[in-house]
């Protein structure tokens, strides 16, 4: 009896030690053929936050691991991925021998524009699985909405149709977007129109979002963020997939995808056809979207050639006007002012008065639509000269064409350079008409990058040349009084020509086992000319040329296995876009904008939790902002403000609460200021033309659409095999809709929650069946994500005309996916 009591006492004594025992796992990663170590290999313990990068000897190490079973995955570019499972009950050594890939794959295409784990950069990677979980037909901005510092908006209120996003308050015209390293931003507007790429996410393998200046890339200036998209990677086996979803607002998403897998060990082809339709939340804000994707390529041992073709065709009813605040708030007196102050006709006022306060659409003309098609052609060639040297070269061509149609009430003939119509003794000076404003453009160019990798040091030399021609013209297709015009009368035409080129060099080297240094130098040239007449009959012919030097540098330091810090500094320069030049007076001279970006980051990676935090300070010189100033025909123009900045802290984390319950979160607190702002307001009381505007110096103000607090959360629960439930939350703080810091001209904070349920199972005849359900805005929050405002002075009072963009209340989307 005493013997058993003694054993029990001993067990009780050592039990706490056993529970809290932690072990070390280490090993080496080496080339299976040569036996040489592979420095820089990524070692990941799956289902934890633990990652490591092998050192110059190919060695990796994890300490303080709890006892248990683990799966270890190792990846290294141009090598086959390896994965092993281990039962850890003591300190263990686990080596990995990686086999070189017998063929090249698509990962090499985007290396020049990506940053890695030991880079001094602020970035977020979004995987294909994460994209698929939330891909219910909404545009790309809504699929990456949960990434840090991101705010999205939808004209139609549903995420289908015209959408937009901001990162750190930076709008899409200041965010560089590339697909396989090819520029996506429109060279003239510098924007990205996601509506032209419906369901493109289905053909995406992964996305990297770099915040701040980021690394050098081709295309538009990265003036606050960059989004780097990679399309489908090689799939060795044949596949086919059919997806069908339906939901609120008569929304449908149908797509068919297929792939041949490897044919003859070298060839592969992938394709997709998609169609998305929705009535939209806003009245008449329908979308009719079609798209396709096709790629094919040759994968050799040292050479890869891949062609990618994709296209999108959209027809959307315009909902660009928004809902006036007086309509949102059911302010009948305020709505009457729109008529009394000649902002609306009597018919437009009556329509607003009798519409729903949240779904009102200013437009009523049956074909007030946007119609556009954009075709993309890419050709990529990659060749490996040796283990250390690798070359990428790409060529591309983008062809876009389309128009938006408008109904105009009582427009003067003189606005179209037409004579008045005389019938007997009657002189008719105005007419109702329908017109189309066209854009027909070509965008082509080539990129290259030469890579050198010697283990501790990697060097990239790259660059590109792009050429754009944008033809802008307008036709009158119908008029109530059309006697003085030919069919499809063209009243204006102008053409933009833009050439850009850049060269960059990047070096990332391990100065010691713990310290990495990064240097990135880019030189970028821009030549932009406009020739012709604008729609208001002004001659806007002009020429501009810029040369920019954009250096970046940083240090990354491993404090220990779990903790790291980095520090970086970068400079970015950006030229004004088409609208800046188009709307300016002939005597206005716009300066280019400059950004000095400072980033200080910290990373913590533990077995069951991880945390990243970074401080940023983005100091702008001559940033272009709206002040209310107008040109000589009364159109709003942007103006350079000498000093402005964005400063804040971003926190990104994850926590493994239970084995099947995980939480990911992010939060941003920032200050976004113009140091000395002067507001201009139109003076309708002035009848002399001597004082068309009044001005007021406001001093320091907040930058528009830059909330001081943004937070995101995602709880993921896997209650049983194949079932995953995501509860997604987003909070966006107050946003000012102009640069005056006026509370009355701001968007209220909002907190929105979505529920996403995905269940997959296998059958004997179908490889995988997926059932999907998304409940957006599950608590039916009433909120607006964007707005515009126009101010004027009348009868010695200041008034506003505005438009807010309400988003849909609780709505659902669900359906099925079949994989073969």
């Amino acid at each position: 009896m005493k013997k058993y009591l003694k054993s029990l006492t001993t067990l009780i004594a050592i039990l706490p030690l056993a529970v809290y025992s932690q072990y070390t796992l280490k090993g080496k990663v080496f080339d299976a053929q040569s036996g040489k170590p592979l420095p820089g290999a990524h070692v990941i313990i799956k289902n934890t936050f633990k990652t490591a990068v092998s050192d110059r000897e190919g060695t990796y190490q994890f300490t303080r691991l709890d006892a248990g079973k683990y799966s270890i995955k190792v990846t290294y570019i141009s090598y086959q991925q390896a994965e092993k499972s281990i039962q850890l009950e003591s300190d263990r050594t686990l080596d990995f021998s990686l086999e070189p890939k017998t063929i090249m794959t698509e990962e090499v295409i985007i290396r020049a524009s990506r940053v890695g784990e030991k880079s001094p950069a602020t970035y977020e990677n979004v995987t294909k699985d994460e994209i698929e979980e939330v891909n219910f037909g909404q545009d790309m901005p809504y699929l990456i909405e949960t990434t840090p510092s991101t705010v999205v908006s939808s004209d139609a209120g549903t995420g289908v149709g015209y959408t937009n996003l901001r990162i750190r308050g930076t709008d899409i015209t200041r965010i560089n977007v590339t697909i396989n390293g090819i520029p996506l931003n429109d060279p003239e507007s510098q924007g990205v129109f996601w509506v032209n790429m419906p369901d493109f996410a289905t053909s995406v393998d992964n996305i990297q979002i770099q915040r701040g200046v980021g690394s050098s890339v081709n295309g538009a200036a990265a003036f606050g963020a960059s989004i780097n998209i990679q399309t489908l990677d090689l799939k060795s086996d044949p596949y086919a997939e059919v997806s069908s979803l339906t939901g609120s607002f008569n929304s449908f998403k149908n797509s068919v995808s297929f792939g041949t897998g490897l044919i003859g060990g070298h060839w592969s082809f992938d394709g997709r056809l998609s169609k998305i339709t929705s009535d939209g939340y806003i009245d008449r804000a329908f979308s009719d979207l079609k798209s396709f994707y096709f790629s094919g390529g040759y994968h050799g041992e040292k050479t890869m050639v891949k062609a990618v073709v994709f296209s999108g065709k959209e027809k959307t009813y315009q909902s660009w006007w928004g809902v006036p605040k007086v309509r949102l708030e059911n302010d009948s007196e305020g709505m009457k002012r729109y008529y009394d102050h000649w902002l609306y006709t009597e018919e437009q006022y009556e329509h607003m008065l009798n519409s729903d306060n949240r779904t009102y659409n200013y437009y009523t003309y049956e074909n007030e639509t946007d119609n556009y098609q954009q075709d993309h052609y890419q050709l990529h060639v990659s060749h490996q000269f040796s283990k250390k040297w690798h070359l990428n070269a790409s060529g591309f061509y983008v062809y876009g064409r389309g128009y938006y149609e408008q109904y105009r009430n009582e427009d003067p003939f003189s606005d179209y350079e037409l004579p008045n119509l005389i019938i007997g003794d009657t002189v008719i000076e105005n007419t109702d008409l329908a017109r189309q404003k066209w854009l027909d453009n070509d965008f082509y160019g080539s990129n290259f990058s030469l890579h050198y990798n010697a283990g501790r040091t990697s060097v990239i030399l790259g660059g590109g040349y792009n050429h754009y021609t944008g033809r802008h013209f307008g036709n009158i297709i119908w008029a109530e009084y059309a006697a003085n015009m030919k069919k499809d009368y063209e009243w204006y035409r102008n053409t933009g020509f833009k050439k850009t080129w850049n060269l960059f060099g990047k070096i990332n080297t391990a100065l010691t086992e713990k310290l990495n240094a990064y240097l990135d130098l880019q030189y970028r040239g821009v030549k932009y000319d406009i020739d012709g007449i604008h729609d208001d009959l002004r001659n806007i012919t002009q020429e501009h040329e810029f040369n920019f030097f954009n250096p970046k540098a940083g240090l990354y330091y491993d404090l220990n296995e779990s903790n790291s810090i980095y520090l970086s500094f970068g400079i970015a320069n950006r030229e004004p876009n088409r609208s800046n030049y188009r709307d300016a007076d002939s005597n206005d001279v716009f300066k280019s904008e400059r950004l000095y970006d400072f980033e200080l980051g910290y990373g913590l990676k533990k077995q069951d939790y991880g945390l990243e935090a970074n401080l940023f300070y983005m100091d702008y010189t001559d940033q272009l902002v709206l002040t209310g100033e107008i040109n000589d025909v009364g159109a709003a123009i942007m103006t350079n403000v000498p000093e402005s900045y964005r400063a804040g802290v971003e926190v990104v984390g994850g926590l493994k609460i239970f084995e099947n319950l995980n939480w990911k979160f992010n939060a941003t607190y920032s200050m976004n200021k113009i140091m000395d702002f002067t507001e201009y307001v139109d003076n309708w009381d002035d009848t002399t033309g001597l004082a068309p505007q009044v001005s007021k110096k406001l001093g320091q103000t907040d930058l528009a659409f830059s909330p001081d607090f943004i937070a995101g959360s995602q709880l993921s629960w896997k209650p049983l095999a194949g079932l995953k439930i995501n509860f997604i939350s987003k909070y966006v703080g107050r946003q000012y809709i102009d640069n005056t810091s006026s509370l009355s001209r701001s968007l209220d904070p909002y907190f929105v929650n979505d529920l996403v349920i995905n269940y997959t199972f296998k059958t004997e005849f179908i490889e995988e069946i997926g059932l999907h359900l998304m409940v957006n805005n599950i608590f039916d929050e009433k909120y607006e994500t964007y707005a515009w405002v126009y101010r004027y002075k009348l009868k010695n009072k200041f008034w506003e005309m505005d438009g807010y963009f309400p988003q849909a209340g609780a709505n659902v989307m669900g359906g099925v996916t079949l994989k073969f």
Side-chain angles (χ1 to χ4, degrees), residues 226-260:
S226 57
I227 300 174
N228 185 288
I229 302 171
Q230 181 188 335
T231 56
L232 293 176
D233 205 349
L234 173 67
K235 293 185 178 180
S236 300
D237 298 321
Y239 69 93
E241 180 178 318
V242 179
S243 177
S244 184
L245 302 168
T246 185
S248 302
F249 315 115
N250 201 27
S251 299
F252 294 91
K253 172 185 179 288
N254 294 288
S255 68
V256 178
S257 304
F258 63 89
T260 63

Side-chain angles (χ1 to χ4, degrees), residues 255-282:
S255 68
V256 178
S257 304
F258 63 89
T260 63
L262 271 178
I263 301 175
H266 291 292
W267 297 90
S268 70
F269 300 90
D270 297 273
R272 172 186 52 81
L273 293 171
S274 300
K275 180 175 175 62
I276 299 173
T277 58
S278 177
D279 289 346
Y281 170 65
I282 301 300

Side-chain angles (χ1 to χ4, degrees), residues 195-475:
V195 69
N196 298 331
M197 307 163 57
D199 199 29
F200 187 72
T202 300
S203 300
V204 169
D205 187 80
N206 61 80
I207 302 172
Q208 185 176 89
I209 302 171
Q210 300 175 24
R211 302 189 297 280
V213 167
S215 64
S216 291
V217 286
N218 297 300
F223 212 66
S226 57
I227 300 174
N228 185 288
I229 302 171
Q230 181 188 335
T231 56
L232 293 176
D233 205 349
L234 173 67
K235 293 185 178 180
S236 300
D237 298 321
Y239 69 93
E241 180 178 318
V242 179
S243 177
S244 184
L245 302 168
T246 185
S248 302
F249 315 115
N250 201 27
S251 299
F252 294 91
K253 172 185 179 288
N254 294 288
S255 68
V256 178
S257 304
F258 63 89
T260 63
L262 271 178
I263 301 175
H266 291 292
W267 297 90
S268 70
F269 300 90
D270 297 273
R272 172 186 52 81
L273 293 171
S274 300
K275 180 175 175 62
I276 299 173
T277 58
S278 177
D279 289 346
Y281 170 65
I282 301 300
D283 295 341
R284 295 174 297 284
F286 70 79
S287 297
D288 185 0
L289 316 175
K290 304 177 184 70
S291 69
F292 74 82
Y293 170 93
F294 183 80
S295 66
Y298 171 82
H299 300 263
E301 182 180 356
K302 293 187 176 181
T303 302
M304 183 186 72
V305 180
K306 184 171 184 178
V308 178
V309 180
F310 58 94
S311 176
K313 184 176 183 180
E314 60 93 3
K315 182 173 184 177
T316 56
Y317 193 92
Q318 293 180 24
S319 49
W320 303 343
W321 194 260
V323 179
K325 182 189 288 188
V326 293
R327 174 64 280 182
L328 271 176
E329 298 178 348
N330 295 313
D331 179 359
S332 56
E333 184 178 334
M335 286 186 275
K336 183 64 162 53
R337 172 177 61 85
Y338 270 60
Y339 173 65
D340 293 339
H341 288 190
W342 317 288
L343 301 172
Y344 278 13
T345 65
E346 183 176 4
E347 183 181 358
Q348 291 168 336
Y349 159 65
E350 291 290 341
H351 168 60
M352 175 171 63
L353 188 65
N354 295 314
S355 296
D356 181 84
N357 71 312
R358 295 195 63 79
T359 65
Y360 161 76
N361 192 342
Y362 171 82
Y363 300 107
T364 56
Y365 170 54
E366 181 180 359
N367 202 38
E368 194 91 15
T369 58
D370 185 69
N371 305 263
Y372 197 78
Q373 180 170 340
Q374 194 171 70
D375 308 324
H376 297 253
Y377 305 87
Q378 299 181 355
L379 180 64
H380 303 274
V381 179
S382 298
H383 181 73
Q384 183 180 18
F385 297 100
S386 67
K387 292 290 185 182
K388 294 183 178 180
W389 291 94
H390 172 256
L391 176 68
N392 283 331
S394 302
F396 69 92
Y397 173 65
V398 181
Y399 176 46
R401 66 278 190 196
Y403 64 91
Y404 63 89
E405 189 168 320
Q406 296 176 306
Y407 182 84
R408 304 284 294 180
N409 184 52
E410 288 291 304
D411 267 11
F413 282 112
S414 59
D415 285 357
Y416 301 90
E417 217 168 28
L418 290 168
N420 294 331
L421 180 62
I422 301 175
I423 302 176
D425 294 332
T426 303
V427 178
I428 299 175
E429 299 179 344
N430 304 290
T431 182
D432 293 349
L433 58 87
R435 67 186 192 183
Q436 293 177 348
K437 302 183 78 172
W438 278 82
L439 171 61
D440 181 79
N441 57 71
D442 301 277
F443 181 36
Y444 59 86
S446 60
N447 304 328
F448 79 95
S449 59
L450 179 64
H451 303 251
Y452 171 78
N453 191 337
R456 295 186 61 183
T457 300
S458 64
V459 179
I460 300 174
L461 299 175
Y465 171 83
N466 307 324
H467 186 281
Y468 175 88
T469 302
R471 295 165 287 273
H472 308 260
F473 58 94
N475 299 122

Side-chain angles (χ1 to χ4, degrees), residues 705 732-737 742-750 783-787 803-805:
F705 302 108
V732 177
R734 183 170 300 281
Q735 301 178 72
Y736 297 102
I737 66 176
S742 171
L743 190 63
S744 65
R745 295 187 292 281
S746 66
L747 297 168
D748 290 335
Y750 57 86
Y783 67 108
E784 298 80 45
T785 55
Y786 187 72
Y804 287 70
F805 291 81

Side-chain angles (χ1 to χ4, degrees), residues 598-617:
F598 301 84
E599 307 272 339
L600 174 62
Y602 164 75
L604 170 66
K605 295 178 180 179
K606 292 290 188 179
Q607 183 171 333
D608 293 328
Y609 61 92
L611 184 70
E612 297 174 6
N614 68 284
L615 300 171
F616 64 89
Y617 180 71

Side-chain angles (χ1 to χ4, degrees), residues 497-517:
F497 306 92
K498 191 168 186 179
K499 299 177 182 179
T500 62
W501 60 272
N502 82 100
L503 291 171
F504 60 81
K506 306 178 184 182
I507 180 170
N508 196 327
T509 184
L511 300 178
T512 70
E513 291 297 344
K514 292 181 175 292
L515 181 63
N516 279 49

Side-chain angles (χ1 to χ4, degrees), residues 11-64:
L11 179 61
I12 293 172
I14 67 171
L15 185 60
L17 297 176
V19 171
Y20 293 103
S21 291
Q22 292 184 313
Y23 305 109
T24 296
L25 174 64
K26 63 181 180 179
K28 286 189 175 183
V29 183
F30 54 89
D31 186 306
Q33 294 181 359
S34 67
K36 292 182 178 179
L38 295 177
H42 289 264
V43 186
I44 303 167
I45 304 181
K46 296 178 68 175
N47 299 318
T48 76
F49 295 89
K50 287 276 194 178
T51 64
V53 177
S54 60
D55 62 19
R56 71 177 78 177
E57 303 299 331
T59 300
Y60 73 91
Q61 178 174 287
F62 297 103
T63 61
R64 298 184 179 179

